[in-house]
PDB file of all heavy atoms in Angstrom:
ATOM      1  N   ASN A   1      33.141 -48.719  36.252  1.00  0.00           N
ATOM      2  CA  ASN A   1      33.682 -48.136  37.480  1.00  0.00           C
ATOM      3  C   ASN A   1      33.893 -49.255  38.499  1.00  0.00           C
ATOM      4  O   ASN A   1      34.791 -50.056  38.337  1.00  0.00           O
ATOM      5  CB  ASN A   1      32.797 -46.987  37.961  1.00  0.00           C
ATOM      6  CG  ASN A   1      32.736 -45.880  36.924  1.00  0.00           C
ATOM      7  OD1 ASN A   1      33.757 -45.531  36.327  1.00  0.00           O
ATOM      8  ND2 ASN A   1      31.560 -45.330  36.686  1.00  0.00           N
ATOM      9  N   THR A   2      33.016 -49.395  39.509  1.00  0.00           N
ATOM     10  CA  THR A   2      33.185 -50.490  40.470  1.00  0.00           C
ATOM     11  C   THR A   2      31.964 -51.415  40.513  1.00  0.00           C
ATOM     12  O   THR A   2      31.865 -52.254  41.407  1.00  0.00           O
ATOM     13  CB  THR A   2      33.438 -49.929  41.886  1.00  0.00           C
ATOM     14  OG1 THR A   2      32.305 -49.128  42.279  1.00  0.00           O
ATOM     15  CG2 THR A   2      34.695 -49.078  41.921  1.00  0.00           C
ATOM     16  N   VAL A   3      31.074 -51.274  39.571  1.00  0.00           N
ATOM     17  CA  VAL A   3      29.834 -52.058  39.563  1.00  0.00           C
ATOM     18  C   VAL A   3      29.976 -53.216  38.588  1.00  0.00           C
ATOM     19  O   VAL A   3      30.233 -53.014  37.396  1.00  0.00           O
ATOM     20  CB  VAL A   3      28.629 -51.184  39.171  1.00  0.00           C
ATOM     21  CG1 VAL A   3      27.351 -52.017  39.133  1.00  0.00           C
ATOM     22  CG2 VAL A   3      28.477 -50.025  40.151  1.00  0.00           C
ATOM     23  N   SER A   4      29.825 -54.449  39.075  1.00  0.00           N
ATOM     24  CA  SER A   4      29.956 -55.618  38.212  1.00  0.00           C
ATOM     25  C   SER A   4      28.720 -55.768  37.343  1.00  0.00           C
ATOM     26  O   SER A   4      27.602 -55.435  37.738  1.00  0.00           O
ATOM     27  CB  SER A   4      30.189 -56.881  39.046  1.00  0.00           C
ATOM     28  OG  SER A   4      29.054 -57.195  39.818  1.00  0.00           O
ATOM     29  N   MET A   5      28.946 -56.289  36.152  1.00  0.00           N
ATOM     30  CA  MET A   5      27.857 -56.441  35.200  1.00  0.00           C
ATOM     31  C   MET A   5      28.240 -57.490  34.175  1.00  0.00           C
ATOM     32  O   MET A   5      29.411 -57.816  33.996  1.00  0.00           O
ATOM     33  CB  MET A   5      27.574 -55.099  34.498  1.00  0.00           C
ATOM     34  CG  MET A   5      28.802 -54.505  33.814  1.00  0.00           C
ATOM     35  SD  MET A   5      28.539 -52.836  33.175  1.00  0.00           S
ATOM     36  CE  MET A   5      27.403 -53.182  31.848  1.00  0.00           C
ATOM     37  N   MET A   6      27.226 -58.022  33.508  1.00  0.00           N
ATOM     38  CA  MET A   6      27.469 -58.927  32.401  1.00  0.00           C
ATOM     39  C   MET A   6      27.505 -58.126  31.107  1.00  0.00           C
ATOM     40  O   MET A   6      26.957 -57.022  31.022  1.00  0.00           O
ATOM     41  CB  MET A   6      26.393 -60.002  32.355  1.00  0.00           C
ATOM     42  CG  MET A   6      26.470 -60.978  33.516  1.00  0.00           C
ATOM     43  SD  MET A   6      25.209 -62.263  33.423  1.00  0.00           S
ATOM     44  CE  MET A   6      23.740 -61.300  33.766  1.00  0.00           C
ATOM     45  N   ALA A   7      28.149 -58.690  30.118  1.00  0.00           N
ATOM     46  CA  ALA A   7      28.216 -58.027  28.825  1.00  0.00           C
ATOM     47  C   ALA A   7      26.816 -57.935  28.225  1.00  0.00           C
ATOM     48  O   ALA A   7      25.936 -58.750  28.522  1.00  0.00           O
ATOM     49  CB  ALA A   7      29.138 -58.797  27.891  1.00  0.00           C
ATOM     50  N   PRO A   8      26.581 -56.948  27.368  1.00  0.00           N
ATOM     51  CA  PRO A   8      25.277 -56.868  26.690  1.00  0.00           C
ATOM     52  C   PRO A   8      24.951 -58.176  25.973  1.00  0.00           C
ATOM     53  O   PRO A   8      25.817 -58.763  25.314  1.00  0.00           O
ATOM     54  CB  PRO A   8      25.480 -55.721  25.694  1.00  0.00           C
ATOM     55  CG  PRO A   8      26.562 -54.880  26.286  1.00  0.00           C
ATOM     56  CD  PRO A   8      27.479 -55.849  26.985  1.00  0.00           C
ATOM     57  N   ASP A   9      23.721 -58.614  26.111  1.00  0.00           N
ATOM     58  CA  ASP A   9      23.289 -59.886  25.519  1.00  0.00           C
ATOM     59  C   ASP A   9      22.769 -59.620  24.113  1.00  0.00           C
ATOM     60  O   ASP A   9      21.571 -59.702  23.834  1.00  0.00           O
ATOM     61  CB  ASP A   9      22.218 -60.522  26.392  1.00  0.00           C
ATOM     62  CG  ASP A   9      21.911 -61.958  25.986  1.00  0.00           C
ATOM     63  OD1 ASP A   9      22.690 -62.522  25.203  1.00  0.00           O
ATOM     64  OD2 ASP A   9      20.888 -62.498  26.447  1.00  0.00           O
ATOM     65  N   THR A  10      23.688 -59.272  23.226  1.00  0.00           N
ATOM     66  CA  THR A  10      23.318 -58.939  21.855  1.00  0.00           C
ATOM     67  C   THR A  10      24.062 -59.852  20.890  1.00  0.00           C
ATOM     68  O   THR A  10      25.219 -60.216  21.126  1.00  0.00           O
ATOM     69  CB  THR A  10      23.662 -57.469  21.532  1.00  0.00           C
ATOM     70  OG1 THR A  10      25.052 -57.242  21.820  1.00  0.00           O
ATOM     71  CG2 THR A  10      22.828 -56.524  22.374  1.00  0.00           C
ATOM     72  N   PRO A  11      23.429 -60.222  19.781  1.00  0.00           N
ATOM     73  CA  PRO A  11      24.088 -61.112  18.806  1.00  0.00           C
ATOM     74  C   PRO A  11      25.381 -60.485  18.273  1.00  0.00           C
ATOM     75  O   PRO A  11      25.429 -59.286  17.965  1.00  0.00           O
ATOM     76  CB  PRO A  11      23.037 -61.246  17.692  1.00  0.00           C
ATOM     77  CG  PRO A  11      21.729 -60.915  18.350  1.00  0.00           C
ATOM     78  CD  PRO A  11      22.042 -59.892  19.389  1.00  0.00           C
ATOM     79  N   GLY A  12      26.412 -61.300  18.166  1.00  0.00           N
ATOM     80  CA  GLY A  12      27.670 -60.823  17.603  1.00  0.00           C
ATOM     81  C   GLY A  12      28.496 -59.961  18.534  1.00  0.00           C
ATOM     82  O   GLY A  12      29.509 -59.395  18.106  1.00  0.00           O
ATOM     83  N   TYR A  13      28.105 -59.876  19.804  1.00  0.00           N
ATOM     84  CA  TYR A  13      28.873 -59.053  20.752  1.00  0.00           C
ATOM     85  C   TYR A  13      30.338 -59.497  20.785  1.00  0.00           C
ATOM     86  O   TYR A  13      30.647 -60.686  20.764  1.00  0.00           O
ATOM     87  CB  TYR A  13      28.286 -59.160  22.162  1.00  0.00           C
ATOM     88  CG  TYR A  13      29.173 -58.508  23.211  1.00  0.00           C
ATOM     89  CD1 TYR A  13      29.002 -57.176  23.551  1.00  0.00           C
ATOM     90  CD2 TYR A  13      30.215 -59.214  23.830  1.00  0.00           C
ATOM     91  CE1 TYR A  13      29.828 -56.559  24.487  1.00  0.00           C
ATOM     92  CE2 TYR A  13      31.050 -58.605  24.758  1.00  0.00           C
ATOM     93  CZ  TYR A  13      30.846 -57.284  25.084  1.00  0.00           C
ATOM     94  OH  TYR A  13      31.677 -56.675  26.000  1.00  0.00           O
ATOM     95  N   HIS A  14      31.247 -58.500  20.845  1.00  0.00           N
ATOM     96  CA  HIS A  14      32.671 -58.782  21.040  1.00  0.00           C
ATOM     97  C   HIS A  14      33.253 -57.685  21.917  1.00  0.00           C
ATOM     98  O   HIS A  14      32.972 -56.499  21.730  1.00  0.00           O
ATOM     99  CB  HIS A  14      33.410 -58.837  19.696  1.00  0.00           C
ATOM    100  CG  HIS A  14      34.784 -59.427  19.787  1.00  0.00           C
ATOM    101  ND1 HIS A  14      35.878 -58.700  20.224  1.00  0.00           N
ATOM    102  CD2 HIS A  14      35.258 -60.689  19.518  1.00  0.00           C
ATOM    103  CE1 HIS A  14      36.957 -59.474  20.206  1.00  0.00           C
ATOM    104  NE2 HIS A  14      36.603 -60.688  19.785  1.00  0.00           N
ATOM    105  N   PHE A  15      34.087 -58.074  22.869  1.00  0.00           N
ATOM    106  CA  PHE A  15      34.607 -57.136  23.858  1.00  0.00           C
ATOM    107  C   PHE A  15      35.400 -56.000  23.210  1.00  0.00           C
ATOM    108  O   PHE A  15      35.281 -54.844  23.619  1.00  0.00           O
ATOM    109  CB  PHE A  15      35.475 -57.887  24.872  1.00  0.00           C
ATOM    110  CG  PHE A  15      36.074 -57.009  25.935  1.00  0.00           C
ATOM    111  CD1 PHE A  15      35.275 -56.342  26.850  1.00  0.00           C
ATOM    112  CD2 PHE A  15      37.449 -56.853  26.029  1.00  0.00           C
ATOM    113  CE1 PHE A  15      35.823 -55.534  27.833  1.00  0.00           C
ATOM    114  CE2 PHE A  15      38.013 -56.057  27.006  1.00  0.00           C
ATOM    115  CZ  PHE A  15      37.202 -55.387  27.911  1.00  0.00           C
ATOM    116  N   ASN A  16      36.231 -56.303  22.210  1.00  0.00           N
ATOM    117  CA  ASN A  16      37.002 -55.244  21.560  1.00  0.00           C
ATOM    118  C   ASN A  16      36.097 -54.156  20.995  1.00  0.00           C
ATOM    119  O   ASN A  16      36.370 -52.957  21.131  1.00  0.00           O
ATOM    120  CB  ASN A  16      37.859 -55.827  20.429  1.00  0.00           C
ATOM    121  CG  ASN A  16      39.167 -56.404  20.913  1.00  0.00           C
ATOM    122  OD1 ASN A  16      39.626 -56.111  22.009  1.00  0.00           O
ATOM    123  ND2 ASN A  16      39.780 -57.239  20.091  1.00  0.00           N
ATOM    124  N   THR A  17      35.031 -54.573  20.333  1.00  0.00           N
ATOM    125  CA  THR A  17      34.093 -53.608  19.757  1.00  0.00           C
ATOM    126  C   THR A  17      33.382 -52.829  20.857  1.00  0.00           C
ATOM    127  O   THR A  17      33.179 -51.611  20.748  1.00  0.00           O
ATOM    128  CB  THR A  17      33.072 -54.345  18.874  1.00  0.00           C
ATOM    129  OG1 THR A  17      33.770 -55.102  17.888  1.00  0.00           O
ATOM    130  CG2 THR A  17      32.138 -53.366  18.189  1.00  0.00           C
ATOM    131  N   ASP A  18      33.023 -53.530  21.915  1.00  0.00           N
ATOM    132  CA  ASP A  18      32.307 -52.904  23.030  1.00  0.00           C
ATOM    133  C   ASP A  18      33.135 -51.798  23.684  1.00  0.00           C
ATOM    134  O   ASP A  18      32.644 -50.686  23.901  1.00  0.00           O
ATOM    135  CB  ASP A  18      31.941 -53.978  24.053  1.00  0.00           C
ATOM    136  CG  ASP A  18      31.077 -53.450  25.190  1.00  0.00           C
ATOM    137  OD1 ASP A  18      30.462 -52.375  25.044  1.00  0.00           O
ATOM    138  OD2 ASP A  18      31.026 -54.112  26.247  1.00  0.00           O
ATOM    139  N   ILE A  19      34.406 -52.084  23.993  1.00  0.00           N
ATOM    140  CA  ILE A  19      35.189 -51.046  24.676  1.00  0.00           C
ATOM    141  C   ILE A  19      35.534 -49.904  23.730  1.00  0.00           C
ATOM    142  O   ILE A  19      35.656 -48.750  24.160  1.00  0.00           O
ATOM    143  CB  ILE A  19      36.460 -51.614  25.344  1.00  0.00           C
ATOM    144  CG1 ILE A  19      37.361 -52.348  24.354  1.00  0.00           C
ATOM    145  CG2 ILE A  19      36.098 -52.479  26.534  1.00  0.00           C
ATOM    146  CD1 ILE A  19      38.717 -52.737  24.942  1.00  0.00           C
ATOM    147  N   ALA A  20      35.675 -50.200  22.439  1.00  0.00           N
ATOM    148  CA  ALA A  20      35.886 -49.108  21.485  1.00  0.00           C
ATOM    149  C   ALA A  20      34.655 -48.216  21.432  1.00  0.00           C
ATOM    150  O   ALA A  20      34.766 -46.977  21.444  1.00  0.00           O
ATOM    151  CB  ALA A  20      36.210 -49.670  20.102  1.00  0.00           C
ATOM    152  N   ASP A  21      33.463 -48.834  21.377  1.00  0.00           N
ATOM    153  CA  ASP A  21      32.227 -48.050  21.390  1.00  0.00           C
ATOM    154  C   ASP A  21      32.104 -47.227  22.658  1.00  0.00           C
ATOM    155  O   ASP A  21      31.711 -46.053  22.630  1.00  0.00           O
ATOM    156  CB  ASP A  21      31.014 -48.977  21.273  1.00  0.00           C
ATOM    157  CG  ASP A  21      30.848 -49.571  19.880  1.00  0.00           C
ATOM    158  OD1 ASP A  21      31.454 -49.040  18.929  1.00  0.00           O
ATOM    159  OD2 ASP A  21      30.101 -50.565  19.756  1.00  0.00           O
ATOM    160  N   ASP A  22      32.436 -47.834  23.796  1.00  0.00           N
ATOM    161  CA  ASP A  22      32.305 -47.128  25.070  1.00  0.00           C
ATOM    162  C   ASP A  22      33.299 -45.970  25.151  1.00  0.00           C
ATOM    163  O   ASP A  22      32.962 -44.885  25.643  1.00  0.00           O
ATOM    164  CB  ASP A  22      32.530 -48.095  26.238  1.00  0.00           C
ATOM    165  CG  ASP A  22      31.822 -47.656  27.499  1.00  0.00           C
ATOM    166  OD1 ASP A  22      30.591 -47.775  27.543  1.00  0.00           O
ATOM    167  OD2 ASP A  22      32.495 -47.162  28.428  1.00  0.00           O
ATOM    168  N   ALA A  23      34.510 -46.194  24.661  1.00  0.00           N
ATOM    169  CA  ALA A  23      35.502 -45.120  24.656  1.00  0.00           C
ATOM    170  C   ALA A  23      35.070 -43.984  23.742  1.00  0.00           C
ATOM    171  O   ALA A  23      35.243 -42.792  24.071  1.00  0.00           O
ATOM    172  CB  ALA A  23      36.862 -45.667  24.224  1.00  0.00           C
ATOM    173  N   ILE A  24      34.503 -44.328  22.601  1.00  0.00           N
ATOM    174  CA  ILE A  24      34.004 -43.292  21.691  1.00  0.00           C
ATOM    175  C   ILE A  24      32.883 -42.500  22.349  1.00  0.00           C
ATOM    176  O   ILE A  24      32.826 -41.266  22.250  1.00  0.00           O
ATOM    177  CB  ILE A  24      33.542 -43.934  20.370  1.00  0.00           C
ATOM    178  CG1 ILE A  24      34.763 -44.438  19.583  1.00  0.00           C
ATOM    179  CG2 ILE A  24      32.731 -42.956  19.533  1.00  0.00           C
ATOM    180  CD1 ILE A  24      34.414 -45.322  18.398  1.00  0.00           C
ATOM    181  N   GLY A  25      31.985 -43.199  23.040  1.00  0.00           N
ATOM    182  CA  GLY A  25      30.923 -42.496  23.764  1.00  0.00           C
ATOM    183  C   GLY A  25      31.474 -41.567  24.826  1.00  0.00           C
ATOM    184  O   GLY A  25      30.989 -40.440  25.001  1.00  0.00           O
ATOM    185  N   TRP A  26      32.492 -42.053  25.545  1.00  0.00           N
ATOM    186  CA  TRP A  26      33.115 -41.199  26.563  1.00  0.00           C
ATOM    187  C   TRP A  26      33.764 -39.979  25.919  1.00  0.00           C
ATOM    188  O   TRP A  26      33.637 -38.854  26.412  1.00  0.00           O
ATOM    189  CB  TRP A  26      34.151 -42.005  27.343  1.00  0.00           C
ATOM    190  CG  TRP A  26      34.797 -41.243  28.460  1.00  0.00           C
ATOM    191  CD1 TRP A  26      34.350 -41.122  29.745  1.00  0.00           C
ATOM    192  CD2 TRP A  26      36.018 -40.480  28.383  1.00  0.00           C
ATOM    193  NE1 TRP A  26      35.211 -40.342  30.484  1.00  0.00           N
ATOM    194  CE2 TRP A  26      36.241 -39.927  29.678  1.00  0.00           C
ATOM    195  CE3 TRP A  26      36.924 -40.208  27.379  1.00  0.00           C
ATOM    196  CZ2 TRP A  26      37.343 -39.121  29.964  1.00  0.00           C
ATOM    197  CZ3 TRP A  26      38.021 -39.404  27.658  1.00  0.00           C
ATOM    198  CH2 TRP A  26      38.233 -38.871  28.935  1.00  0.00           C
ATOM    199  N   LEU A  27      34.444 -40.175  24.803  1.00  0.00           N
ATOM    200  CA  LEU A  27      35.064 -39.055  24.095  1.00  0.00           C
ATOM    201  C   LEU A  27      34.028 -38.037  23.642  1.00  0.00           C
ATOM    202  O   LEU A  27      34.210 -36.822  23.809  1.00  0.00           O
ATOM    203  CB  LEU A  27      35.833 -39.576  22.881  1.00  0.00           C
ATOM    204  CG  LEU A  27      37.193 -40.222  23.134  1.00  0.00           C
ATOM    205  CD1 LEU A  27      37.673 -40.961  21.892  1.00  0.00           C
ATOM    206  CD2 LEU A  27      38.218 -39.172  23.562  1.00  0.00           C
ATOM    207  N   HIS A  28      32.934 -38.514  23.074  1.00  0.00           N
ATOM    208  CA  HIS A  28      31.901 -37.598  22.597  1.00  0.00           C
ATOM    209  C   HIS A  28      31.306 -36.788  23.745  1.00  0.00           C
ATOM    210  O   HIS A  28      31.056 -35.584  23.610  1.00  0.00           O
ATOM    211  CB  HIS A  28      30.809 -38.382  21.877  1.00  0.00           C
ATOM    212  CG  HIS A  28      31.234 -38.901  20.535  1.00  0.00           C
ATOM    213  ND1 HIS A  28      30.496 -39.818  19.820  1.00  0.00           N
ATOM    214  CD2 HIS A  28      32.327 -38.639  19.775  1.00  0.00           C
ATOM    215  CE1 HIS A  28      31.117 -40.090  18.675  1.00  0.00           C
ATOM    216  NE2 HIS A  28      32.229 -39.395  18.640  1.00  0.00           N
ATOM    217  N   THR A  29      31.064 -37.456  24.866  1.00  0.00           N
ATOM    218  CA  THR A  29      30.528 -36.736  26.030  1.00  0.00           C
ATOM    219  C   THR A  29      31.519 -35.686  26.508  1.00  0.00           C
ATOM    220  O   THR A  29      31.153 -34.538  26.794  1.00  0.00           O
ATOM    221  CB  THR A  29      30.226 -37.729  27.170  1.00  0.00           C
ATOM    222  OG1 THR A  29      29.287 -38.699  26.704  1.00  0.00           O
ATOM    223  CG2 THR A  29      29.662 -37.005  28.378  1.00  0.00           C
ATOM    224  N   HIS A  30      32.776 -36.068  26.589  1.00  0.00           N
ATOM    225  CA  HIS A  30      33.815 -35.120  27.029  1.00  0.00           C
ATOM    226  C   HIS A  30      33.919 -33.952  26.061  1.00  0.00           C
ATOM    227  O   HIS A  30      34.001 -32.781  26.469  1.00  0.00           O
ATOM    228  CB  HIS A  30      35.155 -35.843  27.122  1.00  0.00           C
ATOM    229  CG  HIS A  30      36.273 -34.980  27.608  1.00  0.00           C
ATOM    230  ND1 HIS A  30      36.993 -34.168  26.758  1.00  0.00           N
ATOM    231  CD2 HIS A  30      36.789 -34.768  28.845  1.00  0.00           C
ATOM    232  CE1 HIS A  30      37.901 -33.503  27.455  1.00  0.00           C
ATOM    233  NE2 HIS A  30      37.796 -33.866  28.713  1.00  0.00           N
ATOM    234  N   GLN A  31      33.890 -34.244  24.771  1.00  0.00           N
ATOM    235  CA  GLN A  31      34.006 -33.188  23.768  1.00  0.00           C
ATOM    236  C   GLN A  31      32.813 -32.242  23.802  1.00  0.00           C
ATOM    237  O   GLN A  31      32.951 -31.040  23.525  1.00  0.00           O
ATOM    238  CB  GLN A  31      34.164 -33.824  22.385  1.00  0.00           C
ATOM    239  CG  GLN A  31      35.485 -34.560  22.202  1.00  0.00           C
ATOM    240  CD  GLN A  31      35.481 -35.525  21.029  1.00  0.00           C
ATOM    241  OE1 GLN A  31      34.441 -35.747  20.407  1.00  0.00           O
ATOM    242  NE2 GLN A  31      36.643 -36.112  20.726  1.00  0.00           N
ATOM    243  N   SER A  32      31.640 -32.764  24.152  1.00  0.00           N
ATOM    244  CA  SER A  32      30.449 -31.921  24.222  1.00  0.00           C
ATOM    245  C   SER A  32      30.472 -30.998  25.432  1.00  0.00           C
ATOM    246  O   SER A  32      30.109 -29.822  25.343  1.00  0.00           O
ATOM    247  CB  SER A  32      29.190 -32.795  24.279  1.00  0.00           C
ATOM    248  OG  SER A  32      29.045 -33.553  23.098  1.00  0.00           O
ATOM    249  N   LEU A  33      30.901 -31.543  26.572  1.00  0.00           N
ATOM    250  CA  LEU A  33      30.800 -30.783  27.826  1.00  0.00           C
ATOM    251  C   LEU A  33      32.062 -30.019  28.182  1.00  0.00           C
ATOM    252  O   LEU A  33      31.987 -28.972  28.830  1.00  0.00           O
ATOM    253  CB  LEU A  33      30.466 -31.749  28.968  1.00  0.00           C
ATOM    254  CG  LEU A  33      29.096 -32.439  28.874  1.00  0.00           C
ATOM    255  CD1 LEU A  33      28.932 -33.446  29.985  1.00  0.00           C
ATOM    256  CD2 LEU A  33      27.980 -31.402  28.925  1.00  0.00           C
ATOM    257  N   ALA A  34      33.231 -30.519  27.800  1.00  0.00           N
ATOM    258  CA  ALA A  34      34.488 -29.854  28.183  1.00  0.00           C
ATOM    259  C   ALA A  34      35.472 -29.900  27.015  1.00  0.00           C
ATOM    260  O   ALA A  34      36.552 -30.489  27.118  1.00  0.00           O
ATOM    261  CB  ALA A  34      35.077 -30.528  29.415  1.00  0.00           C
ATOM    262  N   PRO A  35      35.112 -29.272  25.883  1.00  0.00           N
ATOM    263  CA  PRO A  35      35.963 -29.389  24.695  1.00  0.00           C
ATOM    264  C   PRO A  35      37.345 -28.777  24.863  1.00  0.00           C
ATOM    265  O   PRO A  35      38.274 -29.149  24.148  1.00  0.00           O
ATOM    266  CB  PRO A  35      35.166 -28.652  23.615  1.00  0.00           C
ATOM    267  CG  PRO A  35      34.275 -27.721  24.367  1.00  0.00           C
ATOM    268  CD  PRO A  35      33.919 -28.438  25.631  1.00  0.00           C
ATOM    269  N   GLY A  36      37.491 -27.861  25.808  1.00  0.00           N
ATOM    270  CA  GLY A  36      38.783 -27.219  26.009  1.00  0.00           C
ATOM    271  C   GLY A  36      39.659 -27.891  27.045  1.00  0.00           C
ATOM    272  O   GLY A  36      40.789 -27.448  27.298  1.00  0.00           O
ATOM    273  N   LYS A  37      39.154 -28.974  27.648  1.00  0.00           N
ATOM    274  CA  LYS A  37      39.900 -29.660  28.704  1.00  0.00           C
ATOM    275  C   LYS A  37      40.599 -30.884  28.126  1.00  0.00           C
ATOM    276  O   LYS A  37      39.955 -31.721  27.482  1.00  0.00           O
ATOM    277  CB  LYS A  37      38.945 -30.086  29.818  1.00  0.00           C
ATOM    278  CG  LYS A  37      39.630 -30.707  31.032  1.00  0.00           C
ATOM    279  CD  LYS A  37      38.599 -31.081  32.108  1.00  0.00           C
ATOM    280  CE  LYS A  37      39.284 -31.650  33.351  1.00  0.00           C
ATOM    281  NZ  LYS A  37      38.300 -32.052  34.392  1.00  0.00           N
ATOM    282  N   PRO A  38      41.901 -31.037  28.331  1.00  0.00           N
ATOM    283  CA  PRO A  38      42.576 -32.221  27.784  1.00  0.00           C
ATOM    284  C   PRO A  38      42.196 -33.484  28.542  1.00  0.00           C
ATOM    285  O   PRO A  38      41.749 -33.428  29.687  1.00  0.00           O
ATOM    286  CB  PRO A  38      44.057 -31.886  27.952  1.00  0.00           C
ATOM    287  CG  PRO A  38      44.102 -30.979  29.135  1.00  0.00           C
ATOM    288  CD  PRO A  38      42.840 -30.158  29.060  1.00  0.00           C
ATOM    289  N   TYR A  39      42.403 -34.604  27.897  1.00  0.00           N
ATOM    290  CA  TYR A  39      42.076 -35.882  28.525  1.00  0.00           C
ATOM    291  C   TYR A  39      43.232 -36.858  28.374  1.00  0.00           C
ATOM    292  O   TYR A  39      44.081 -36.743  27.488  1.00  0.00           O
ATOM    293  CB  TYR A  39      40.801 -36.480  27.922  1.00  0.00           C
ATOM    294  CG  TYR A  39      40.851 -36.707  26.431  1.00  0.00           C
ATOM    295  CD1 TYR A  39      41.500 -37.804  25.878  1.00  0.00           C
ATOM    296  CD2 TYR A  39      40.222 -35.811  25.557  1.00  0.00           C
ATOM    297  CE1 TYR A  39      41.550 -38.008  24.514  1.00  0.00           C
ATOM    298  CE2 TYR A  39      40.262 -36.001  24.182  1.00  0.00           C
ATOM    299  CZ  TYR A  39      40.926 -37.099  23.673  1.00  0.00           C
ATOM    300  OH  TYR A  39      40.989 -37.299  22.314  1.00  0.00           O
TER     301      TYR A  39
END
């Protein structure tokens, strides 16, 4: 959102994988709470 942060300090971290994981998490949350609402 608007909060600055460093990337997770984990071995093998890659930004492409990170944003895909985060998008998947966002999708799962949306699907759980508002499955009938388009995104």
Side-chain angles (χ1 to χ4, degrees):
N1 299 318
T2 60
V3 179
S4 67
M5 56 188 291
M6 291 181 290
D9 191 13
T10 54
Y13 171 91
H14 193 280
F15 180 64
N16 277 342
T17 304
D18 185 19
I19 57 171
D21 288 343
D22 206 73
I24 290 169
W26 183 87
L27 283 167
H28 288 169
T29 301
H30 182 275
Q31 292 163 353
S32 296
L33 295 175
K37 185 179 182 181
Y39 58 79

